[in-house]
Amino acid sequence: MTKRQLGLSFIALGILAIAGMFLMDLLGAGQFQGIGPAQRLGLMGAGFVIFIGITLLPFGDNPA
Amino acid sequence: MKKQVGKFASLRVWLPRVLIGLALLAFVGYFIVYAIYAWNLFQFPFDYDQGEGFELMDTVLFSQGQWPYRDNDVYPFYSSNYPPLFHIAIVPLVWLFGPQYWTGRLVSFLGTLVTAVAIFIAVKRDAEKRGGAERSGDKKKIKTSAPFAPLRLTSSSKRWWLAILAGLGYLASNYIYHVGPLFRQHLFMVMFETLAVVLLARVIEREEASGKRNNKGLLVVMALLLFAGYTKQLAYATVAAVFIFLFLRQPKRAVMWAVPFTAVTGLIFLWINVSTDGFWFLNTVTANVNPFIPGQAEGLFRQWFTLHTIITVVAALFAIYQLYFERLSIYAIWFVVTTLNSVTAGKWGAGESYFATAIAASLILTGIAFSRLLDWSEKRGTNWQFVLQTLIPLLFLWQAGKLFHMPTHTPTLAAIASALGQPTKVMIAPQTSCSAPRDPEPIPYVDAAGVSLLGRPPNKADTEAGIAITELIARGESPAFAEDAGFNFYLGRDIVTNPTQFLNLYKNNAVDLTEMLAMLDAQRFDTVVLRAQFYPPEVLNIIGQRYETTDLVQMNGFVYCVMTPRQE
């Protein structure tokens, strides 16, 4: 696996995590209206993972 | 002028040596303290940490060919929530010496020594590997220009002190010190995890060097991971780290190995579950679904970082470096995954030991990072060498200071603590859940982790207190309904209940209290012994109605309430 592929995996994981959190809201899970504290933490974590993924993209075909 | 130059040259030689010597002295000192604590614990015949006796009970049941995963609804209301391997490893000692606390404490202690040696080997081997690559002139293995890139290395094979500091660093952690010599399975799991990861690094490194696959080596890694998982469930994080690493290096092979590994793990799980009529699943899975307490997780993360700042920061920086400028090593992935997984320390019933795996990983990464920096400095010249050879032992000394913990129960230890500018006693109020609060009293144990009831070596008074409780129980004829197993073990009576396990099941609506409540209501137990009141409210209510406190005995900083049936 290359650094770029690893970066893309991170981005995909982050997007999936965000989508999953909003899906939970749609399914009615959670105790809070809107974005709850756990969701806020989760969103920040997912955003961080996406950020790391983006920063890995310029490293191209170097092995991960 | 020549004299000044000579003096400076001499300083450049001796200062690093003195600092390395001091760092080694500090960490050897921690090891001696650890050995003192362990030796005292080996001689203590009762529970030091609540839960030890139940692990001994699991071992006793295995030694009799029985499973400890049982029906909690019926007398003796006992079951275990832990996988079997640690207890099975102790069975031969129980066969030979009977149900003694020292058996499991010794095995756990030895497990921590094995882990420390594995950390030593990992750091030492990395330096030797790069030294070997340089000597053989293998340019593929040697990237230059970046500080962490392996460079000319003539002294790395002599850099034993760095590997020793990393290995001893594990035993010097407050958390490892607290839990290492206890009859608890957690650090035995960490031993298997560390062995698996260190061996995996070796197997992959050799495969990549020779171009030949070493499936036998990988099979041993899988076996060690399986052992870790069947010692304690928390090993799943290391399993995840190993497969992430394999996937990055060899995706197809990772999947090929993941399938049989999952199958074997699942088949063993099914076999135990069928053999125990489903009580394995109930007691190891259902009972472990505990509430998450964010404040507990945050507090433990803060404490872990405050105590282990240097090794954590260095490991994190090295992992980031590898993420961008090198191939990610198994150690970097292991460190990140297990650190993130340490958040599970916030579960009710979890604690500081959940950081042990992350600590082992951070020490390996720190050792390797420092070793590479020293390699780099050799290329840059004597000034850089001097700076790093001075800075690295200073950082270890700083880390040693942050980890400070020391029992001060002997004049020598008290004098050493005092000479180091530390207090020789800490005032702690005895813990009680069933009596009036007591005034703080001096405890001969100092710990940078804060007020801790773990770490103080148990003494003669504690043993006498334990015996006093057994004498009170011995006035009756039945086993005691006790929160610690040690008293019934001492008298050779049945072990009744595993309170925390029972409470976990109760919280998950997975236990029927009818028979237990009926027995307590009928005063079928001549004695009840409470320490922390880890029983469901209904059980505590009926105890309050049918029993009264007759004696209060203090042991290990806890007040034990000894209760006998109320006279109608």
Side-chain angles (χ1 to χ4, degrees), chain A residues 1-7 55-64:
Chain A
M1 191 178 253
T2 64
K3 295 283 186 197
R4 184 187 291 120
Q5 287 168 336
L6 184 63
T55 60
L56 279 170
L57 296 179
F59 291 87
D61 290 336
N62 289 340

Side-chain angles (χ1 to χ4, degrees), chain B residues 31 36 42 69 72 74 115 164 190 210 309 336 372 384 399 456 486 514:
Chain B
F31 177 63
I36 291 171
F42 295 161
Y69 316 109
N72 289 272
V74 296
T115 307
I164 288 176
V190 179
S210 67
T309 314
V336 172
R372 292 195 184 182
W384 276 104
Q399 180 60 81
R456 177 186 69 83
T514 310

